[in-house]
Amino acid sequence: MNQDLEKIKIEYISKIDSVTTDNQLEQIRIEIFGRNGKINDLFSQIKNISPELRKQYGADLNQLKTELEQILKNKSVIKSDKLKSDTPKPSVFGLPKTGHLHPITQTERQLNDVFLKLGFSLYSGPEIVTDEYNFKRLNVPANHPARDMQDSIYIKEPEYLLRTQTSTIESYLLAQKSKELPLRAAFAGSTFRNEKVNRSNHFVFHQYQAVVVDKEVTMKDLIGTMDLMFKTLYGPGVVVRYRCKYYPEVEPGVGPDMQCFSCHGVGCPICKYAGWIEMGGAGMIHPKVLEMADINPKIWSGFAFGMGLDRWTMAQKNIKDIRTLMGGNLAYKPNEK
Ligand SMILES: [Zn+2]
C-alpha cells in the first residue's frame, strides 16, 4: 500500500483501538466515512495523482476503505458482544443468554488486529482448490513423499480437493501479486484432512497464515514477527522455542513450540507429556515456490508462517477437547472440564 495511506491507516487503527464508548466510535466513523470524512477527501485528491500512479493509488485507497470498515465493524461487534455478556437476559426457555462470537473467530480477529497494526493486508481464498495450487506450486510435485503428511479429501481425483492448508491461499496470492511486490498478507480459513477425530485432532481445522515477500527479508524478521505475535496473544511471559522443521514450501523451516499452558512444562495429557505444544510451521519461502509464481528469488525473498488456530484458541481459552470447537454446545464455559 502507498506509504501515505499506510500512515493514515496506522493512525486510525490506533485511534479506533483506544475508543471506549459508543459515542467516540461514532465520532471516528464520521471522521473517516462521513460526507466530509477522510476517505471522501482522499478520493477527491485522486485527480492530483500522476496518471501512471493513479490506478494503483485508487486500488490502495479502496483497500484502505475496506480494511478500516472491517476494523470498525470488529470493534462494534466486540463491544456489543461484551455488552451482551455483561447483561444476561432470560431467554424464552428461562435460561440466561450466553451468545458470543465463536472462539475461533475471536482468535482470528485478535490476530487480524496484530497484523493490521504491522501493516499487513487481509485476504481470503477458496476452500475447493486444484492440486496445482495446493501442492505443486508449494514445491510438492506428484508422488512427492511430503504428500503422505497430508491425507487429503478429494472432490474429484486427481485434480480437485478441499484445501489441506492455508498455504494454498499463499500460492494463489503469489501468482496474483507477483508484479505488485512487496507483499505483506495475512489470512485465515478452514482446512480439511482425512483425520480420525479425537480430543486433539479433527478433520476440519483452522489455520492462520502470514506471508511477506520483500527485498532482503531474513529469518530475523520471521522470528521477530512471531515473537511479537505470541507476546500479544499470551502476554510477555510466554515461553516459546524454535526448532528446525521440514516443510517442502520453505527452506530453512522452523516450528515454534509454546510451553504447555496447562502443566507449564512438567508434562500432562494435553501436551502428550512433552511439556511443549507445537504451534505451527514457518520458514523462508523456498526459491522454487517464488520461481513458480514468476518471482525472481535473486531479487525477492520472503517468509511464511502458518498456525493451527484451534490449538491456539484452546490454549487461550483453556479448552481441553478440540471437539468442543465443532460441537453444538455453543454455551460452553471456558473452564469446563
Ligand atoms: Zn502439559
Side-chain angles (χ1 to χ4, degrees):
M1 191 186 282
N2 173 300
Q3 273 188 351
D4 293 340
L5 297 182
E6 192 79 46
K7 260 191 216 153
I8 292 169
K9 181 171 100 177
I10 290 166
E11 189 188 312
Y12 278 117
I13 287 173
S14 86
K15 269 193 180 177
I16 296 168
D17 214 31
S18 59
V19 155
T20 51
T21 67
D22 276 338
N23 252 343
Q24 288 172 342
L25 192 65
E26 189 51 28
Q27 282 307 316
I28 291 191
R29 193 191 306 280
I30 293 167
E31 198 181 318
I32 304 173
F33 294 108
R35 203 194 309 174
N36 299 318
K38 193 75 189 169
I39 292 290
N40 277 346
D41 180 41
L42 289 168
F43 271 112
S44 70
Q45 289 169 27
I46 282 190
K47 57 181 186 299
N48 305 328
I49 305 284
S50 63
E52 65 272 21
L53 297 174
R54 207 171 282 164
K55 193 176 161 208
Q56 185 59 40
Y57 182 85
D60 286 351
L61 192 48
N62 273 319
Q63 190 183 333
L64 173 74
K65 183 171 171 250
T66 312
E67 286 177 13
L68 287 177
E69 271 169 356
Q70 190 59 40
I71 295 163
L72 271 174
K73 202 170 132 203
N74 286 357
K75 185 78 181 178
S76 48
V77 169
I78 290 162
K79 275 171 66 71
S80 59
D81 197 45
K82 188 173 178 299
L83 270 180
K84 263 185 230 157
S85 61
D86 286 349
T87 51
K89 292 188 189 109
S91 73
V92 283
F93 302 109
L95 296 168
K97 274 188 181 170
T98 50
H100 53 76
L101 286 174
H102 192 283
I104 296 278
T105 311
Q106 291 177 25
T107 313
E108 188 185 317
R109 290 188 180 181
Q110 267 181 312
L111 282 160
N112 285 347
D113 283 346
V114 175
F115 284 104
L116 283 170
K117 279 179 195 159
L118 290 173
F120 282 66
S121 300
L122 304 178
Y123 292 91
S124 62
E127 290 184 353
I128 297 175
V129 294
T130 58
D131 183 276
E132 180 184 349
Y133 283 89
N134 195 73
F135 288 122
K136 281 180 203 148
R137 279 174 178 262
L138 293 164
N139 198 25
V140 188
N143 305 321
H144 191 285
R147 289 198 180 209
D148 294 342
M149 287 156 62
Q150 299 178 18
D151 201 351
S152 315
I153 301 171
Y154 279 87
I155 303 291
K156 194 176 163 209
E157 229 169 333
E159 207 188 342
Y160 294 101
L161 68 155
L162 292 174
R163 68 176 174 217
T164 59
Q165 51 187 344
T166 42
S167 299
T168 315
I169 305 175
E170 176 190 329
S171 43
Y172 279 109
L173 264 182
L174 291 182
Q176 274 173 20
K177 302 274 176 186
S178 61
K179 300 287 171 273
E180 299 167 35
L181 298 173
L183 172 72
R184 263 191 271 181
F187 37 89
S190 310
T191 53
F192 309 85
R193 289 185 202 176
N194 189 13
E195 293 264 357
K196 235 188 196 158
V197 176
N198 56 37
R199 62 185 290 142
S200 48
N201 290 300
H202 206 285
F203 63 90
V204 184
F205 52 101
H206 305 85
Q207 287 184 341
Y208 197 97
Q209 190 150 338
V211 174
V212 170
V213 179
D214 207 333
K215 286 172 183 161
E216 295 171 8
V217 177
T218 67
M219 197 79 167
K220 216 165 118 186
D221 302 307
L222 166 63
I223 303 280
T225 310
M226 288 178 97
D227 267 344
L228 184 72
M229 180 183 61
F230 278 109
K231 286 191 174 121
T232 309
L233 284 182
Y234 295 109
V238 65
V239 184
V240 183
R241 69 177 183 188
Y242 296 92
R243 289 188 295 156
C244 289
K245 285 277 183 74
Y246 169 72
Y247 304 101
E249 69 265 41
V250 290
E251 178 58 38
V254 289
D257 301 337
M258 185 176 75
Q259 199 175 69
C260 178
F261 58 90
S262 181
C263 65
H264 302 286
V266 178
C268 73
I270 305 271
C271 57
K272 295 176 185 149
Y273 298 95
W276 296 89
I277 299 175
E278 290 181 30
M279 300 305 277
M284 303 306 294
I285 301 175
H286 200 294
K288 277 190 186 164
V289 171
L290 293 175
E291 270 170 6
M292 277 185 273
D294 208 14
I295 296 170
N296 186 347
K298 291 198 173 98
I299 300 172
W300 301 97
S301 58
F303 67 74
F305 59 88
M307 292 88 42
L309 277 180
D310 307 76
R311 285 194 188 154
W312 279 53
T313 305
M314 289 167 77
Q316 255 195 326
K317 313 263 178 201
N318 204 11
I319 297 169
K320 314 253 164 149
D321 190 326
I322 196 168
R323 290 168 293 195
T324 314
L325 294 172
M326 306 294 160
N329 182 12
L330 298 175
Y332 88 97
K333 306 237 174 2
N335 292 319
E336 220 164 41
K337 288 276 167 346

